[in-house]
Amino acid sequence: MAKSSKKPTASLTPDSLRAPVVVVMGHVDHGKTTLLDFIRHTNVAARESAGITQHIGAYQVLVPHEGKPTPITFIDTPGHAAFSAMRARGGSVADIAVLVVAADDGVMPQTIEAISHIKAAGIPMIAAINKMDVPGANVDRVKKGLSEHGVLVQGYGGDIEASPISAKTGDGVPELLELILITAELAELKTDPTLPPSGIVIESKLDKFRGPLATLIIKNGTLKIGQDLVVGGVKGRVKQMIDGFGAHVKEAGPSTPVEILGLEAVPDVGSEIGGAGAEAPASTFTQAGTLEELMSQEKKPDEISLIVKADVQGSLEAITGSLAGLPQETTKLKVIHAGTGEISDSDVNLARATGSLILGFRVKTNPSVVKLAETQDVKVMNYDVIYQLLDDLKAALEGISLEENPLPIGTGEIIATFPHGTGLIMGTRVIGGAIARDQPIKIVRGELEIAAGRVKSIRHLKDEVPKAEAGKEYGIFLDLSHGEFTDVMVGDKLLSFPKS
Ligand code: GDP
């Protein structure tokens, strides 16, 4: 981006331009909070007030720019989980993202996650290379690291601005603020003051004394005391409004954060003024249904976006590498985020905001995350074997229903084998789901299918039982349809599928 600033077009009155709303993201301990605190304390409050600084989730400062004090709104909840929650329902609340990377640490896992979120939001990004005062600060390493993750800064093949700063001493922070304002000018952030007020909830809570509280950033129009409103399905009337500096205000215009009092209940973060149904984000993606739903539509989607989480880097690379080899004539697969570790809230929110499916490979998902995925209508598909994952995607891409290629409903590990007649009894520890009589079974070793068949009988201790449940050990006897009993070994996995 060029450093020259572009004047607003003649048709825009100053009233129709609004302050940029900025979000600060990056890896933990890289200095997001320190930067937000520094900016808050060293810049004049946009609204003069003698009030004590109060945390409402966002604040606005005035920054000298071309001889004029110019407002910038900062979202004061650092972290990409909050950012993606804010996007989950209502489009992007932020106009610009500042990606903080510590110069003594470089690009880290949450930096990469933040990059995925910012790219998915499609908003301009500025890199702030922080902790320049620390011995060992290495700007080039950060820039190189960023370029390896698709963030091409100036001098590294791109035009993304990178500002060296110290959030501790304040060095470079005025230049960063200037860059934010230049970026905002280029983005020509317009607003229409004649429209009814619209805005997005960035924080909400129930206060013991004051009742439900919500901090909103106003996007269009002006919110006034006494106004009736619906926020994310919650009704209310604005009884009080407080700005980021604790001052009571009567009106809040575009890009202003205000905490409002007077709602009947606590609205969700990310919900918008205007009610529940009326707030579909202005986005072009198809919301993720199941793969089957997507692929059974008359017009197949041009693209399915995926978030892939795997246990280790090696499996992650194997999966993303193999995805490229799947047939993608009518529908392309696009991995918008790939990482190692548990499926998190942040993944679910990113999936929700981008209409992605989540593919988990040998990773855990916290029950609270499963619940979030359910309420957000985000589809999470978990796998233990790569070929199963690839088979499902391939089937989906070819328009075959997953019913013909179902997911396992039970998994077990073979812990002992006993010859029995012409067959084999497999001592099996059930790991997940359940394995029942008559179910189709596959026995796999790593990526290899060793044998397949149907469950003939299940024994627990001395008793014949209809079903083997997770956490316990059983003797399972199969009717093999292919493969040989002699091939089955301790350590193999047993997958059971729904009866057809
Ligand atoms: P966050 O997790 O990204 O919000 O990081 P914090 O703002 O909490 O900073 C983590 C630690 O790094 C704190 O101990 C800060 O004082 C320190 N820190 C942040 N910015 C700087 C900086 O520019 N220079 C130095 N020396 N320390 C910093």
Side-chain angles (χ1 to χ4, degrees):
M1 187 186 302
K3 275 214 170 190
S4 67
S5 59
K6 192 171 150 194
K7 288 271 175 287
T9 55
S11 62
L12 279 173
T13 64
D15 275 354
S16 62
L17 285 176
R18 60 179 179 82
V21 178
V22 179
V23 66
V24 174
M25 296 170 82
H27 195 71
V28 65
D29 279 348
H30 279 196
K32 299 178 293 291
T33 313
T34 311
L35 177 63
L36 282 162
D37 286 349
F38 183 89
I39 295 170
R40 179 205 279 267
H41 291 124
T42 45
N43 288 274
V44 186
R47 189 174 291 276
E48 274 179 48
S49 102
I52 312 152
T53 305
Q54 175 181 331
H55 180 88
I56 64 162
Y59 62 80
Q60 200 172 61
V61 290
L62 288 177
V63 173
H65 178 60
E66 294 176 349
K68 295 192 301 274
T70 311
I72 306 179
T73 301
F74 282 94
I75 296 176
D76 200 6
T77 11
H80 40 249
F83 173 67
S84 57
M86 285 170 217
R87 298 191 54 224
R89 267 171 235 88
S92 180
V93 68
D95 304 303
I96 296 171
V98 170
L99 179 68
V100 174
V101 190
D104 60 345
D105 202 22
V107 170
M108 287 287 138
Q110 285 161 13
T111 319
I112 300 166
E113 239 178 273
I115 294 169
S116 300
H117 282 279
I118 298 166
K119 285 194 168 167
I123 55 173
M125 161 179 359
I126 298 169
I129 305 179
N130 190 32
K131 306 201 184 182
M132 289 304 295
D133 59 301
V134 173
N138 186 337
V139 174
D140 282 332
R141 184 179 59 163
V142 174
K143 289 185 175 175
K144 188 162 173 290
L146 287 173
S147 70
E148 283 162 7
H149 291 93
V151 178
L152 305 180
V153 299
Q154 290 177 6
Y156 280 76
D159 62 1
I160 293 175
E161 303 270 3
S163 227
I165 62 164
S166 165
K168 196 170 181 180
T169 66
D171 275 351
V173 177
E175 289 80 1
L176 173 66
L177 294 173
E178 178 75 20
L179 266 180
I180 290 173
L181 288 170
I182 293 168
T183 307
E185 279 180 353
L186 289 171
E188 289 189 348
L189 306 169
K190 293 176 206 169
T191 179
D192 185 347
T194 63
L195 285 176
S198 67
I200 299 176
V201 176
I202 60 160
E203 271 193 9
S204 60
K205 65 179 177 196
L206 185 64
D207 184 279
K208 238 196 296 179
F209 304 107
R210 298 195 296 156
L213 297 176
T215 299
L216 293 159
I217 291 195
I218 308 299
K219 284 250 134 165
N220 257 316
T222 304
L223 188 66
K224 295 180 179 143
I225 292 276
Q227 201 158 339
D228 289 321
L229 80 170
V230 181
V231 183
V234 175
K235 281 194 286 188
R237 169 171 292 177
V238 184
K239 289 195 191 132
Q240 251 181 35
M241 287 200 284
I242 294 166
D243 70 11
F245 295 87
H248 285 262
V249 293
K250 291 206 166 63
E251 301 189 344
S255 297
T256 330
V258 272
E259 184 179 73
I260 64 166
L261 192 146
L263 292 172
E264 289 172 2
V266 179
D268 289 339
V269 168
S271 53
E272 283 195 77
I273 297 182
E279 59 191 37
S283 58
T284 49
F285 60 75
T286 325
Q287 188 61 51
T290 62
L291 269 179
E292 287 154 283
E293 279 162 20
L294 283 175
M295 298 310 297
S296 59
Q297 290 165 12
E298 217 155 281
K299 185 179 174 319
K300 302 226 183 311
D302 296 336
E303 196 171 84
I304 295 179
S305 59
L306 302 171
I307 292 175
V308 185
K309 294 300 287 278
D311 52 346
V312 291
Q313 192 64 26
S315 11
L316 190 64
E317 282 166 15
I319 293 167
T320 50
S322 312
L323 291 179
L326 291 175
Q328 304 184 30
E329 284 88 42
T330 46
T331 302
K332 299 231 170 328
L333 293 176
K334 182 177 168 201
V335 177
I336 63 154
H337 178 62
T340 52
E342 278 188 29
I343 296 171
S344 65
D345 279 5
S346 162
D347 296 320
V348 172
N349 286 323
L350 182 62
R352 164 78 196 184
T354 52
S356 305
L357 294 171
I358 301 181
L359 298 180
F361 181 72
R362 293 190 188 146
V363 289
K364 282 194 291 187
T365 314
N366 194 300
S368 71
V369 176
V370 174
K371 202 148 167 240
L372 180 70
E374 277 168 17
T375 57
Q376 302 276 352
D377 270 339
V378 168
K379 180 84 180 151
V380 181
M381 300 167 79
N382 284 300
Y383 295 89
D384 270 336
V385 273
I386 293 186
Y387 86 80
Q388 184 79 44
L389 181 158
L390 295 173
D391 269 7
D392 281 356
L393 282 175
K394 186 158 174 270
L397 289 168
E398 288 169 349
I400 302 166
S401 156
L402 282 186
E403 272 166 32
E404 294 165 32
N405 197 12
L407 286 176
I409 53 174
T411 53
E413 187 177 342
I414 297 173
I415 51 173
T417 56
F418 315 99
H420 179 81
T422 53
L424 192 73
I425 293 178
M426 301 178 300
T428 306
R429 182 179 301 123
V430 181
I431 304 167
I435 298 171
R437 208 183 286 152
D438 285 335
Q439 277 176 350
I441 289 283
K442 279 183 188 172
I443 296 167
V444 297
R445 185 177 310 148
E447 302 314 318
L448 266 184
E449 185 175 316
I450 305 293
R454 194 168 279 276
V455 180
K456 200 163 177 190
S457 65
I458 305 174
R459 275 182 170 247
H460 183 54
L461 304 173
K462 291 265 173 285
D463 302 321
E464 180 75 28
V465 293
K467 201 169 168 188
E469 283 162 7
K472 296 190 199 152
E473 291 168 11
Y474 297 85
I476 294 180
F477 189 62
L478 293 186
D479 251 348
L480 277 199
S481 57
H482 75 260
E484 299 288 341
F485 282 117
T486 45
D487 295 341
V488 178
M489 275 169 41
V490 169
D492 288 347
K493 285 256 173 71
L494 194 144
L495 309 176
S496 76
F497 297 88
K499 282 184 226 174
S500 46

